[in-house]
Amino acid sequence: MDSSNQNQQYYLTDAVVNDYMQLINTHYGSDVYVFDTFFYLNLCERGFDSVKRWAKKIDLFSKKKLMFPINLKSISHWVLVCADLETKELKYLDSLHGYNVNVLLKLFEYLRKIHMDRVGTPFCTNQWNLKRLDNTLVPKQSNGYDCGVFVCTFAKYLARGAKFNFAQTNMQWFRNLITYELHKHKIVPVDVDGEEIESFIRNVLNGQ
Amino acid sequence: MTEDKGEDATEYMNLKILGHDNSVTPFKIKKHALLIKCLKTYFKIIGLDRVSVIFSFDGHRIIKTDTPSSLEMKEGDVIEVFLRQIGG
């Protein structure tokens, strides 16, 4: 068994990612909606009609942000796409600092069609910006197993409009925090920076 | 996959399961019957491990208490099968 296989025990599955995104939807539902991880797969493999009725009870265009957690199966990797409906930006967030414009184009096409379908008017595409974020703004993963933790944490920060203040060194603590949050059915915002993150999360986990 | 307990025939509806390989399996079920029972039969037919797939109806993951009625399903609706995703 090579080291990459040993690391797979730390990989996050769709079950964890979706449960966590559901938690975000519960807590920040008036501002954001996070799609299911199978949404993008279905959109790609079966087309727009197959996902037209997904999130049918959600008033998508009343939100500030729509987020799409995506599993890149060929490289067993999680990334997040965030459509910011206020700034009109479609952002690709990859903890390995990769970029795939085709993913953004696919989702942009979805937004265009679903806007017509739900709202009944054309989507103002010309004001939109499909964006590769400056790498200095996206915390970088330096191991082969934390991407799911990054994606969940990106979504949590984006949901409340917070700046990313964490780095790879904090991810074990965010991993523990995700377990805690899922267990307690609540989101714990981390408002401290850098070196204080560890002690902050440790206190949360210890119930202080 | 049908059960007949002598109820009105209109209580039944026809649904389809769309496999991860795009195979289509039609089945008949009562509107208030638990979907999970039909899905368990599906596992046996196609020989998939229950933990390796999930069932989704319009993005809703089907759980053991769901029925066609509780999900507001209509005649001919499709349940999709997805293989589990994993990433690091």
Side-chain angles (χ1 to χ4, degrees), chain A residues 107-121:
Chain A
L107 288 169
F108 195 58
E109 188 194 4
Y110 165 77
L111 290 174
R112 200 170 55 75
K113 288 184 176 172
I114 201 70
H115 191 275
M116 199 48 152
D117 192 71
R118 301 272 171 97
V119 186
T121 57

Side-chain angles (χ1 to χ4, degrees), chain B:
Chain B
M1 293 192 206
T2 59
E3 297 180 333
D4 190 358
K5 288 179 183 165
E7 283 188 26
D8 188 344
T10 58
E11 283 292 303
Y12 282 100
M13 61 194 309
N14 293 290
L15 301 173
K16 290 173 200 151
I17 298 175
L18 180 59
H20 66 284
D21 55 356
N22 287 334
S23 61
V24 179
T25 309
F27 69 102
K28 204 176 207 183
I29 185 174
K30 281 182 195 166
K31 286 179 182 171
H32 297 284
L34 295 175
L35 280 162
I36 202 76
K37 286 188 179 173
C38 284
L39 301 179
K40 279 180 184 167
T41 311
Y42 178 79
F43 281 123
K44 285 182 193 152
I45 294 170
I46 61 162
L48 265 182
D49 182 356
R50 269 186 70 186
V51 296
S52 63
V53 299
I54 69 140
F55 290 101
S56 157
F57 173 62
D58 287 346
H60 166 86
R61 271 130 213 284
I62 292 174
I63 55 170
K64 58 186 178 184
T65 52
D66 288 334
T67 66
S69 170
S70 73
L71 297 181
E72 299 172 21
M73 291 174 125
K74 298 186 193 72
E75 181 75 13
D77 271 347
V78 176
I79 292 171
E80 288 164 315
V81 181
F82 297 116
L83 294 181
R84 286 270 178 209
Q85 296 170 319
I86 190 160

Side-chain angles (χ1 to χ4, degrees), chain A residues 12-14 37-38 40-41 68-79 147, chain B residues 84-88:
Chain A
L12 294 196
T13 65
D14 59 285
T37 61
F38 292 101
Y40 182 74
L41 176 77
F68 304 86
I70 294 172
N71 183 260
L72 301 175
K73 197 182 171 191
S74 59
I75 52 170
S76 294
H77 186 49
W78 291 105
V79 299
C147 67
Chain B
R84 286 270 178 209
Q85 296 170 319
I86 190 160

